[in-house]
Amino acid sequence: MVGILLLPVCLATAQALWLVLVRMPPPAVRVWPPLLAGVACWVVIFLLLPKPMWVYVLGHESTHAIWTWMFGGKVKRFKAASSGGHVVTTKNNFLISLSPYFFPFYAVVVVLVFVLGDLLWHWRAYSSWFYLLLGAAYAFHLTLTWEILKTRQTDITSQGYLFSAVVIFLGNALVLLAAVPLLTGHELYSALRCWLDCNHQMMHRVVNLL
């Protein structure tokens, strides 16, 4: 039921993301070429070479652990292998269960490493390499997440397929809705305002239909 009620929010979020993308300021022109080049590089690797499932599973299970800590829980057991993995935690909820499907672990690692490098060694001059690696890392997240969703995942079955799909879509869309303005020089406040306006308009449409 919650998944059904959130479907209009999914549509409004998709609309807001589209509007943010088409309204990007001129500096964004410097961001997209290396970012998309990184995406293309990873897609070629994904299609032609063996899939690095151990690397993905390590990030997947690490994300479970990170979100468990964020909610005040503890990790009691951790396993990651190419055949699969699991974590045993003292706390669980739908965000902890579904976080690996919308939280781009390796893209966040790339951002943190670059921010630290810029603070210590002034890496700002190498921003093109940052965008390249970020594009590859985010494409890694999307492609391997899609690959893993082809198999039965207890994270998904425990939360229900429709609800899981809605949360995963919203999580990925909201990550992009926050990341695109930060990367391209667009105001984050404007993106948030756009998202709220789109949801407000969508709710009016739903009410009118009812």
Side-chain angles (χ1 to χ4, degrees):
M1 183 61 69
V2 175
I4 293 172
L5 293 174
L6 286 174
L7 288 176
V9 179
C10 290
L11 293 174
T13 303
Q15 180 186 9
L17 181 58
W18 171 253
L19 292 174
V20 168
L21 287 171
V22 299
R23 294 173 181 173
M24 286 185 299
V29 175
R30 298 194 301 268
V31 174
W32 288 112
L35 195 71
L36 294 177
V39 171
C41 288
W42 169 251
V43 170
V44 171
I45 294 171
F46 176 78
L47 294 175
L48 298 181
L49 297 179
K51 297 172 178 59
M53 294 310 299
W54 180 81
V55 178
Y56 173 78
V57 172
L58 177 63
H60 183 104
E61 303 304 337
S62 296
T63 302
H64 280 310
I66 290 169
W67 281 70
T68 297
W69 292 328
M70 285 170 58
F71 281 97
K74 296 180 180 178
V75 177
K76 302 182 72 175
R77 190 180 305 165
F78 183 99
K79 177 186 176 183
S82 57
S83 58
H86 68 272
V87 290
V88 178
T89 64
T90 59
K91 181 171 288 190
N92 193 28
N93 57 42
F94 74 94
L95 288 175
I96 293 173
S97 294
L98 300 176
S99 57
Y101 305 99
F102 63 81
F103 181 81
F105 176 81
Y106 290 108
V108 173
V109 170
V110 169
V111 172
L112 293 177
V113 169
F114 183 80
V115 169
L116 181 61
D118 188 48
L119 289 173
L120 297 177
W121 301 293
H122 307 290
W123 283 4
R124 194 65 56 90
Y126 306 103
S127 58
S128 294
W129 288 101
F130 164 66
Y131 296 130
L132 182 79
L133 292 173
L134 184 62
Y138 192 70
F140 176 93
H141 163 71
L142 292 180
T143 53
L144 270 299
T145 297
W146 177 258
E147 191 72 15
I148 206 73
L149 284 174
K150 294 179 182 178
T151 62
R152 187 176 185 274
Q153 298 294 312
T154 55
D155 299 330
I156 305 296
T157 56
S158 67
Q159 304 301 320
Y161 287 103
L162 176 60
F163 179 71
S164 296
V166 168
V167 172
I168 291 169
F169 175 82
L170 280 175
N172 280 284
L174 290 173
V175 165
L176 288 175
L177 199 60
V180 169
L182 292 174
L183 288 172
T184 60
H186 196 283
E187 290 185 359
L188 185 58
Y189 170 79
S190 298
L192 175 60
R193 181 73 185 188
C194 180
W195 181 73
L196 292 174
D197 289 342
C198 288
N199 275 279
H200 182 71
Q201 294 167 14
M202 185 61 66
M203 292 304 108
H204 269 290
R205 293 185 192 129
V206 172
V207 170
N208 289 335
L209 285 174
L210 296 176

